[in-house]
Amino acid sequence: MQDLAGKPVIVRTYAAAKATNLFDDVYVVTDSDVIFQEIEANGGKAIMSQKEHDCGSDRIAEAVEHMDVDIVVNVQGDEPFTSREGLEKVLAVFNEPDADKIDLASLMSEIHDWKEINDPNTVKVIVDKDNFALYFSRSPIPYPRDKNVAIQYYKHKGIYAFRKQAIMDFYRLPMRSLEAVEKIECIRYLEYGKNIKMTVSNTTGVEIDTPEDLIRANKLLKESKPDAVNNKFRNFPMVPKVVFGEGCFDQLTSILSSHKKEKAPFIFLVDDVFEKNTEFLDRINLRFNDKLIFISAEEEPKTSQVDELVKNIQTEFTHAPSGIIGIGGGTVMDLAKAVSIMLTNNGSAADYQGWDLVKQKAIYHVGVPTISGTGAEVSRTTVLTGPVRKLGINSDFTPFDQVILDPELTKGVSKNQWFYTGMDCFIHCVESLNGTFLNAFSQSYGEKAYDLCLEIFLGDSLSDEEARAKLMMASWHGGMSIAYSQVGVAHAMSYGLGYVLGTKHGVGNCVVFQHLEEFYPKDVALFKEMVKKHNVEIPQEICKDLSKKQMDTMITVALGMVPLWENALGRNWETIITPEKLRELYLKM
Ligand code: NAD
Ligand code: ZN
């Protein structure tokens, strides 16, 4: 019940668990009237537990005994910084091939500092080769007798996911001596022979075990937002090298030459719209073992597609490539960024969807946009559709090392496509300029891009060549505007459309934006003028015949875009955007 920036810790923990959108239901189980009433007063669900319990899992066992549930996740009440990333990981193990061996799952994070390793308040865990827990202790385990053996220490985090059967099996089993002496609850499961699968989650927050922790947590909340997505100060990278102008594409060969490493190829990912365009392809100088791979932009990039490209490159070449060059629209830009990251980071691209999860610097990568509007050439993200969500790999290593801005390359883009991708830029600006995260840095870029869009799409004075050049710069500025800001309502809802119906980003934004008068009245009116002026078709009523399940998924995906909603509508966005509200909006689309 201690105060954390204006609300009790337990209320913040409850809200954080709920905001992950991962659960069918979230409850606080308590034996305290005060806590029970506080949760209910804040619109949450609480269960009064009847009996005395030695530990949290027994209390939860009592609460779920008569509930119809498969998996129960125990989030400790003192974890207000609980993030979606960690909970998602602890749930994901139940989809792995060895899932039937798992009784419960929990999280651990890497620790490096000896002070922390020696601190008895930090519970350490050691695991077997498959990450099943061997033992938990407040002592440093293992003991480093041989200082030359590289060993990773892990700290146990107090989040558990149980199969209902496992938690019921253990309910009322007597505590044994190891648990009693260490005062670590999960040792009981080991003492009775259960399998605890551990998974690594390195996101940091503050657990609140001591009064000092509470002071630190208050400070953290005052200085930044709890999810660390909208830090007040962001030390973000910008594209270090850029060349601009009609015809500058021919600089590519000389630019690459200084990055060539012996035996290591350049890999060119090129939009397959250029597959038959020999005049264009001749301008790409393939040398030695360089490789050109055509990419279809038919569907938006997927994590599985990135994984496959990386696997193929690694199988074909013994040396890591000298560089990855993406030539195409937003789809190819994003694939090139993601492939360059995944060539130096282990696992699947899906493991890195989120903020700042990438550990190793990417391979040198170059972006050559052939349509303008997405801002992907400058942005710190690569948007990917993964097995569970559509979300970017947002990291310091994502932006290109070099960009080549040649407006001439955009000549062949069809009118509809030109409009859809151009509107991505316009909508980015509207959402950034009307957002709560806006500062002068983002505003200065956003306003310029916005004005350029109006000149291009509503004015009459530009030649084709001028319009191409200006749209390319609008895209650049629009992308920069997002650096210190975020997109908003249209993007959140467009991600839902993309996930369920495969609606492409640019079209999806337009489909959504035409119905957002209540959020962006002036700009929706301007948008409709542009649609009329260019006589472009925007699909209508695409959500009319969705099944209930599809609609629910769409709503869940859209609601999951927390930073976007927060930017659009402020911290209390959840009072405005409910699932019902989204359903109503989608039904118009
Ligand atoms: P796109 O890359 O999907 O391409 C659209 C179509 O235009 C494709 O059919 C493509 O073959 C064709 N095309 C490309 N260049 C052409 C040319 N010069 N001449 C003729 N046809 C050409 O579309 P897009 O709108 O550029 O990109 C959308 C993608 O960008 C989405 O996947 C979206 O998620 C992503 N995106 C990323 C960011 C970011 O910051 N990383 C921002 C916004 C959007
Ligand atoms: Zn966009």
Side-chain angles (χ1 to χ4, degrees):
M1 286 299 296
Q2 289 286 324
D3 181 81
L4 178 55
K7 283 186 186 162
V9 172
I10 184 71
V11 172
R12 292 212 174 263
T13 306
Y14 183 83
K18 225 174 136 40
T20 63
N21 277 313
L22 290 168
F23 303 108
D24 296 316
D25 253 315
V26 179
Y27 296 93
V28 169
V29 188
T30 177
D31 61 353
S32 146
D33 290 328
V34 181
I35 290 178
F36 183 89
Q37 278 156 20
E38 184 68 30
I39 293 296
E40 295 233 305
N42 278 279
K45 293 186 187 174
I47 297 175
M48 218 36 207
S49 86
Q50 301 302 320
K51 306 182 193 81
E52 290 279 312
H53 294 287
D54 294 331
C55 66
S57 9
D58 282 354
R59 194 181 301 288
I60 289 177
E62 182 205 320
V64 300
E65 191 166 5
H66 301 295
M67 280 187 200
D68 179 21
V69 291
D70 307 316
I71 292 176
V72 191
V73 176
N74 176 359
V75 177
Q76 315 270 335
D78 59 3
E79 300 245 358
F81 298 96
T82 293
S83 71
R84 180 179 169 111
E85 191 249 341
L87 292 174
E88 202 165 38
K89 280 196 169 158
V90 83
L91 287 171
V93 302
F94 291 98
N95 292 325
E96 284 170 12
D98 60 359
D100 54 340
K101 281 195 271 171
I102 302 173
D103 298 303
L104 63 149
S106 190
L107 292 179
M108 59 188 183
S109 61
E110 293 169 6
I111 44 175
H112 304 276
D113 179 5
W114 255 107
K115 230 173 87 196
E116 196 175 8
I117 295 167
N118 270 318
D119 182 352
N121 284 319
T122 302
V123 173
K124 274 71 62 179
V125 55
I126 46 176
V127 293
D128 72 7
K129 70 176 188 11
D130 298 319
N131 277 351
F132 282 100
L134 294 168
Y135 191 59
F136 299 86
S137 181
R138 295 183 186 276
S139 301
I141 46 172
Y143 177 82
R145 165 75 191 269
D146 183 343
K147 302 276 187 297
N148 294 318
V149 177
I151 185 86
Q152 177 64 59
Y153 282 86
Y154 290 104
K155 164 186 174 168
H156 179 222
K157 299 204 206 178
I159 285 177
Y160 301 93
F162 300 91
R163 290 193 187 282
K164 180 175 174 184
Q165 197 52 51
I167 201 167
M168 296 319 301
D169 282 355
F170 277 74
Y171 183 29
R172 295 193 204 94
L173 274 179
M175 186 189 290
R176 296 182 58 86
S177 55
L178 289 175
E179 177 186 356
V181 69
E182 294 251 21
K183 295 271 176 305
I184 300 174
E185 177 183 334
C186 48
I187 293 179
R188 189 184 320 177
Y189 299 98
L190 295 179
E191 285 181 284
Y192 286 100
K194 292 279 161 172
N195 295 322
I196 309 181
K197 178 89 169 190
M198 302 300 297
T199 184
V200 181
S201 164
N202 283 325
T203 44
T204 49
V206 180
E207 285 165 41
I208 302 183
D209 298 326
T210 63
E212 294 76 49
D213 291 343
L214 192 63
I215 294 167
R216 266 204 303 150
N218 262 306
K219 202 159 163 267
L220 199 78
L221 268 187
K222 264 195 210 107
E223 282 168 4
S224 66
K225 302 273 169 101
D227 49 18
V229 166
N230 177 33
N231 290 337
K232 185 168 171 210
F233 306 110
R234 291 191 191 172
N235 191 9
F236 65 85
M238 295 167 82
V239 171
K241 291 206 130 185
V242 53
V243 49
F244 174 84
E246 297 246 339
C248 74
F249 181 61
D250 291 326
Q251 305 295 306
L252 180 61
T253 307
S254 71
I255 287 172
L256 293 183
S257 62
S258 63
H259 293 272
K260 174 80 184 168
K261 294 200 197 97
E262 209 188 333
K263 294 193 189 139
F266 283 110
I267 311 287
F268 296 81
L269 304 179
V270 180
D271 193 308
D272 67 2
V273 75
F274 296 106
E275 194 160 3
K276 304 235 156 53
N277 188 339
T278 46
E279 197 192 326
F280 177 74
L281 295 177
D282 284 346
R283 294 168 72 188
I284 302 173
N285 260 310
L286 295 183
R287 299 196 191 174
F288 313 111
N289 54 353
D290 291 351
K291 188 177 172 78
L292 193 153
I293 303 172
F294 287 111
I295 302 288
S296 161
E298 193 62 38
E299 287 182 20
E300 302 215 328
K302 296 194 173 53
T303 53
S304 54
Q305 188 184 6
V306 173
D307 294 344
E308 183 161 337
L309 278 164
V310 168
K311 201 178 102 210
N312 291 345
I313 293 170
Q314 285 171 336
T315 316
E316 184 169 346
F317 301 98
T318 41
H319 293 79
S322 294
I324 304 293
I325 298 96
I327 304 175
T331 297
V332 177
M333 294 289 100
D334 279 356
L335 271 177
K337 289 168 161 185
V339 166
S340 70
I341 288 171
M342 293 313 300
L343 280 165
T344 55
N345 287 275
N346 290 331
S348 159
D351 301 339
Y352 300 92
Q353 284 179 286
W355 276 265
D356 296 310
L357 302 174
V358 179
K359 299 233 170 58
Q360 311 286 341
K361 192 172 179 302
I363 298 249
Y364 173 74
H365 49 304
V366 179
V368 186
T370 63
I371 316 186
S372 304
T374 62
E377 62 277 18
V378 273
S379 72
R380 191 182 176 272
T381 187
T382 148
V383 184
L384 299 173
T385 304
V388 283
R389 60 192 163 167
K390 186 168 175 179
L391 183 66
I393 299 181
N394 200 310
S395 84
D396 275 357
F397 306 118
T398 309
F400 287 110
D401 298 297
Q402 167 82 55
V403 166
I404 295 182
L405 294 181
D406 183 347
E408 199 182 18
L409 301 182
T410 67
K411 257 183 179 169
V413 178
S414 75
K415 186 164 135 212
N416 275 353
Q417 190 62 55
W418 164 79
F419 188 83
Y420 296 145
T421 307
M423 284 305 110
D424 195 17
C425 180
F426 178 70
I427 294 168
H428 283 175
C429 294
V430 170
E431 292 178 316
S432 163
L433 292 170
N434 289 285
T436 59
F437 294 178
L438 190 70
N439 64 9
F441 186 102
S442 272
Q443 189 178 8
S444 62
Y445 286 105
E447 282 175 351
K448 187 68 214 174
Y450 180 87
D451 290 347
L452 285 167
C453 285
L454 294 186
E455 196 183 349
I456 296 156
F457 291 99
L458 285 178
D460 286 311
S461 60
L462 298 178
S463 69
D464 285 356
E465 188 176 336
E466 281 168 333
R468 279 198 303 271
K470 290 200 173 194
L471 187 53
M472 199 153 245
M473 286 322 296
S475 177
W476 181 275
H477 282 76
M480 284 304 301
S481 169
I482 301 303
Y484 244 113
S485 174
Q486 251 305 346
V487 284
V489 182
H491 273 76
M493 294 193 70
S494 173
Y495 283 149
L497 289 180
Y499 194 84
V500 175
L501 295 175
T503 314
K504 299 201 71 184
H505 188 83
V507 189
N509 283 349
C510 291
V511 167
V512 175
F513 197 68
Q514 60 186 336
H515 295 291
L516 297 185
E517 288 96 345
E518 73 178 280
F519 303 102
Y520 309 111
K522 170 175 83 100
D523 297 306
V524 172
L526 286 171
F527 171 79
K528 287 183 173 166
E529 251 181 75
M530 299 184 207
V531 173
K532 204 160 148 221
K533 182 173 163 85
H534 296 285
N535 199 12
V536 181
E537 189 121 351
I538 310 292
Q540 307 291 336
E541 300 192 342
I542 60 176
C543 297
K544 210 176 56 184
D545 300 321
L546 290 183
S547 69
K548 177 169 183 315
K549 190 157 174 257
Q550 283 178 310
M551 181 59 94
D552 288 345
T553 308
M554 201 177 262
I555 291 170
T556 306
V557 170
L559 279 178
M561 309 308 296
V562 174
L564 281 64
W565 294 111
E566 218 180 284
N567 175 47
L569 303 166
R571 283 264 190 117
N572 294 326
W573 63 272
E574 277 176 301
T575 57
I576 306 168
I577 296 299
T578 57
E580 293 67 42
K581 173 77 191 172
L582 281 186
R583 188 184 317 275
E584 198 184 290
L585 278 169
Y586 272 132
L587 283 174
K588 288 197 218 165
M589 293 169 184

